[in-house]
Amino acid sequence: MREGDKVPEPKCATVYPHLIHAHAIKTAIRDPTSVLNNLITLYSQSNLLSDAVRLFHQIPSPNVVSWTALISAHAKTRLSLHHFISMLRHPTLPNQRTLASLFKTCASLPHISFGLQLHSLSLKLSLAHLPFSGSALVHLYSRCRLPVEARKVFDEIPLRDEVCYAAIIVGLAQNSRSTDALSLFTDMRSAGIGSTMYSVSGALRAASEVAALEQCRIIHAHAVVIGLDLNIVVGTALVDGYGKSGLVLDAHHVFSALLPDVNIVGWNAMMSGYAQQGDKQSVLELFSRMVDHGFVADDYSFLAILTACSNAGSVPEVQKWLNSMKSDYGLKPGIEHYTCVVGAMARAGQLEEAKHLAMTMPFEPDAAVWRTLLSACAIHGAADMAWVVGQRLLELDSQDDSAYAILANVHATAGRWEEVAQVRKQMKVRRVRKEGGQSWIEVCGEVHVFLAGDRRHERTMEIYAKLTDLMEDVKKLGYVEVSDAMLHEVEAAEKKEALWYHSEKLAVAFALISGAAPPGKPVRVVKNLRICRDCHEAFKYLSRVIEREIVVRDVNRYHRFVNGLCACGDYW
């Protein structure tokens, strides 16, 4: 034969690597080392690692490709790191493919300290800026929750390909840098670099994180154009994106198009979309269909069910499904599952029972558990328990400004002004400042962000004029400002203005004057914090004044205001 370093590949190559090996031995080949390198990779891909290692030791003088094949064969295990040390002692220096495999191993373990040393070595060898090693390094820093470092590595890669862009877009999306991820997706398309299922799904994840509905639709259109809309990874991201944007009908259309190929992740994403809307019936129906299709429910499936039942305040059903998760499916509930049960009990007014469960569950209660209880105490006016639960929460996170606000309000409602003063004093001593609320709304794919009392927008005069008219209209229907304990000592006129010009109210006013919400279409607003009681009350009246639905996605859940009522039942 004269093929040089290539191994013939019969049709049975991936099934019978030993036959390929025997064929290579019988054939006269000029470059046996190259052939053995390929065979090492072939054995490892066939999960025959012992054969791959045995073959490696038969190479008289292994080169960098040989070592890389061995290291890659043990990817995502500590053995690959040990083989790398042996390689350096041989001595043989790595190439960018060697480092790429090692960076992926460090990301999966995770092993950031070894990864930092590899990064240093890659800089010394001028390999950090190459696409293979650079994209793997971006992935490592992203997995280790270091998005700033990941972005720095990406920016230093001069020749970026689709793999590099996919790594940084996915990494930023995973680290809640949604705006940056979407911006880089736009840059990638402008640079003429092709999209992959990873870059598209990463961009969709970023859009869903901020409930950027128009961005989801734009990326969906792009996926259709490039033929990725029916790809399972992209399709599942679309289901998740539309679900988190509040459009469960659109999510269901995408989901249905993926059937019957959709996997368990897709089923869970669809159930989660319904759960966020508090649509318990649809979640349970979908769960039944999933089981009929032969899928076995996992932790996320039950989390969707428990979330939906908790939002509905159905304590018996929550307990039933938690027991089913353990006894029927052999799954061990996590703290997030118990949080749903605590939330259901608290919502139903069973505060003592909810507190007892929080104290006796097989996990140390985290901030989410205590915050759930504290919110319930506020809803039910349980000032005494609110104080105890609030202090527990502040022990875990003394800088949680929302906890102080809820504590102050629940005691103000009970007329306990000494406790309100004590809460304020705690904030002052601990130098806690109430985080500024931000609300945003999309118009033609552009996101407009508002702060409380914001006057930076180019259409500020129109926005404030419209909002004044709206607030006068809701007052005629019976709306009365719901005071905030933090504004107790503020003059009445200032207090009214502070409440009127909250960020979500400004966003709604802008939506109405800008055409962001045409007649008959819902007004959609996203908020970074929990919607305040006054805005919640005002929006119930506003939905009657403007005769359309108002959808607000706050940090806790979706609120759908229709004809004077909210789907949350005034509990959030």
Side-chain angles (χ1 to χ4, degrees):
M1 288 184 62
R2 304 296 297 173
E3 283 82 1
D5 58 353
K6 291 185 179 179
V7 179
E9 295 186 8
K11 294 181 181 179
C12 59
T14 58
V15 182
Y16 302 112
H18 291 99
L19 292 180
I20 302 300
H21 191 179
H23 183 74
I25 292 173
K26 293 178 181 179
T27 307
I29 297 177
R30 293 183 303 173
D31 189 353
T33 300
S34 179
V35 172
L36 292 176
N37 292 342
N38 290 332
L39 283 168
I40 291 170
T41 300
L42 182 60
Y43 275 123
S44 64
Q45 290 174 346
S46 302
N47 292 320
L48 299 171
L49 294 183
S50 60
D51 290 312
V53 173
R54 177 178 55 80
L55 199 57
F56 173 81
H57 289 301
Q58 292 178 10
I59 302 175
S61 300
N63 56 25
V64 64
V65 180
S66 310
W67 284 103
T68 301
L70 181 66
I71 289 168
S72 299
H74 295 87
K76 299 183 180 180
T77 70
R78 292 184 181 275
L79 273 176
S80 66
L81 306 183
H82 290 300
H83 289 317
F84 176 65
I85 299 299
S86 299
M87 172 185 169
L88 294 179
R89 290 171 178 168
H90 190 262
T92 302
L93 291 177
N95 59 24
Q96 66 159 329
R97 292 179 184 272
T98 317
L99 291 174
S101 179
L102 290 164
F103 284 139
K104 290 176 183 177
T105 296
C106 292
S108 64
L109 288 177
H111 206 317
I112 186 60
S113 59
F114 199 97
L116 292 173
Q117 295 176 62
L118 285 174
H119 188 183
S120 177
L121 177 62
S122 69
L123 290 171
K124 293 176 182 178
L125 298 176
S126 298
L127 297 174
H129 312 319
L130 299 178
F132 269 88
S133 51
S135 58
L137 186 54
V138 167
H139 174 66
L140 167 62
Y141 280 128
S142 299
R143 283 293 298 271
C144 294
R145 301 295 179 189
L146 297 169
V148 175
E149 286 73 12
R151 181 61 190 267
K152 286 179 181 177
V153 173
F154 174 81
D155 289 339
E156 291 171 357
I157 302 174
L159 299 175
R160 303 163 191 155
D161 58 13
E162 64 272 15
V163 178
C164 297
Y165 271 100
I168 190 63
I169 291 169
V170 170
L172 291 173
Q174 289 174 340
N175 284 277
S176 300
R177 299 294 184 98
S178 302
T179 304
D180 293 337
L182 291 170
S183 177
L184 280 169
F185 184 74
T186 301
D187 292 345
M188 180 189 75
R189 293 181 58 194
S190 299
I193 295 173
S195 301
T196 68
M197 64 178 182
Y198 300 109
S199 57
V200 173
S201 62
L204 285 168
R205 175 171 179 164
S208 66
E209 185 74 21
V210 293
L213 172 59
E214 292 303 321
Q215 289 296 323
C216 280
R217 285 177 167 157
I218 291 169
I219 299 169
H220 187 181
H222 174 65
V224 171
V225 169
I226 63 176
L228 282 176
D229 55 313
L230 296 181
N231 174 277
I232 293 299
V233 174
V234 173
T236 301
L238 277 168
V239 171
D240 184 57
Y242 281 131
K244 287 181 177 175
S245 297
L247 293 183
V248 289
L249 185 60
D250 291 55
H252 193 268
H253 285 159
V254 175
F255 175 79
S256 298
L258 295 175
L259 291 173
D261 299 323
V262 66
N263 55 22
I264 185 69
V265 179
W267 286 95
N268 289 342
M270 190 66 250
M271 286 192 290
S272 177
Y274 282 123
Q276 289 185 64
Q277 303 296 318
D279 190 346
K280 180 188 68 175
Q281 190 61 37
S282 293
V283 173
L284 295 178
E285 288 176 1
L286 202 62
F287 180 82
S288 179
R289 284 179 57 196
M290 183 186 79
V291 173
D292 290 341
H293 276 72
F295 289 94
V296 178
D298 62 10
D299 296 357
Y300 295 101
S301 309
F302 281 99
L303 183 59
I305 293 175
L306 292 171
T307 298
C309 293
S310 179
N311 286 339
S314 178
V315 178
E317 282 198 277
V318 167
Q319 292 174 328
K320 165 195 163 185
W321 284 105
L322 186 74
N323 291 332
S324 175
M325 178 182 182
K326 293 185 287 187
S327 59
D328 299 336
Y329 289 83
L331 296 173
K332 186 177 180 180
I335 190 169
E336 63 276 10
H337 299 96
Y338 280 99
T339 302
C340 291
V341 183
V342 170
M345 290 178 169
R347 182 187 181 102
Q350 301 175 13
L351 298 179
E352 288 294 341
E353 294 88 340
K355 182 183 174 185
H356 176 73
L357 176 60
M359 299 293 291
T360 58
M361 64 183 181
F363 301 96
E364 191 71 25
D366 62 3
V369 173
W370 293 122
R371 194 176 294 110
T372 298
L373 268 175
L374 180 59
S375 297
C377 291
I379 294 295
H380 294 288
D384 289 335
M385 184 180 288
W387 185 263
V388 175
V389 171
Q391 297 310 311
R392 291 269 192 166
L393 173 56
L394 293 174
E395 286 174 8
L396 293 175
D397 184 3
S398 63
Q399 299 299 304
D400 186 346
D401 62 300
S402 65
Y404 293 100
I406 297 173
L407 266 178
N409 285 328
V410 72
H411 285 96
T413 302
R416 299 182 174 185
W417 296 108
E418 289 185 7
E419 283 85 349
V420 173
Q422 191 172 344
V423 171
R424 290 177 179 168
K425 183 178 179 181
Q426 284 182 324
M427 290 185 72
K428 185 175 181 180
V429 170
R430 296 169 182 173
R431 297 182 179 180
V432 178
R433 296 187 63 183
K434 190 174 180 181
E435 182 182 351
Q438 290 186 14
S439 298
W440 55 92
I441 192 165
E442 281 185 283
V443 181
C444 299
E446 182 181 357
V447 177
H448 296 256
V449 182
F450 295 92
L451 307 175
D454 202 339
R455 294 184 180 273
R456 300 170 301 166
H457 199 278
E458 58 184 12
R459 300 183 67 177
T460 290
M461 298 299 293
E462 297 174 76
I463 293 170
Y464 275 75
K466 181 65 176 178
L467 183 54
T468 299
D469 291 342
L470 291 172
M471 296 306 290
E472 292 295 343
D473 288 339
V474 298
K475 286 182 70 176
K476 293 175 183 176
L477 292 177
Y479 159 76
V480 178
E481 292 92 349
V482 180
S483 184
D484 189 322
M486 295 301 179
L487 301 174
H488 177 59
E489 296 174 357
V490 178
E491 293 294 330
E494 294 179 45
K495 185 185 300 183
K496 183 181 78 170
E497 182 168 320
L499 292 171
W500 274 29
Y501 302 140
H502 277 187
S503 61
E504 51 266 60
K505 292 190 181 86
L506 293 172
V508 169
F510 175 67
L512 296 175
I513 67 170
S514 65
K521 296 293 183 180
V523 177
R524 298 182 178 277
V525 178
V526 183
K527 184 175 173 63
N528 68 325
L529 303 176
R530 176 180 182 270
I531 187 173
C532 77
R533 292 186 300 162
D534 180 70
C535 286
H536 195 272
E537 186 69 12
F539 283 0
K540 290 195 290 186
Y541 287 95
L542 271 176
S543 66
R544 292 171 57 191
V545 169
I546 65 178
E547 296 183 336
R548 71 179 75 180
E549 181 180 357
I550 301 174
V551 179
V552 179
R553 176 187 162 182
D554 73 0
V555 71
N556 287 339
R557 60 170 296 161
Y558 271 95
H559 297 267
R560 289 182 173 273
F561 301 91
V562 182
N563 196 28
L565 298 173
C566 180
C568 77
D570 295 339
Y571 183 100
W572 71 101

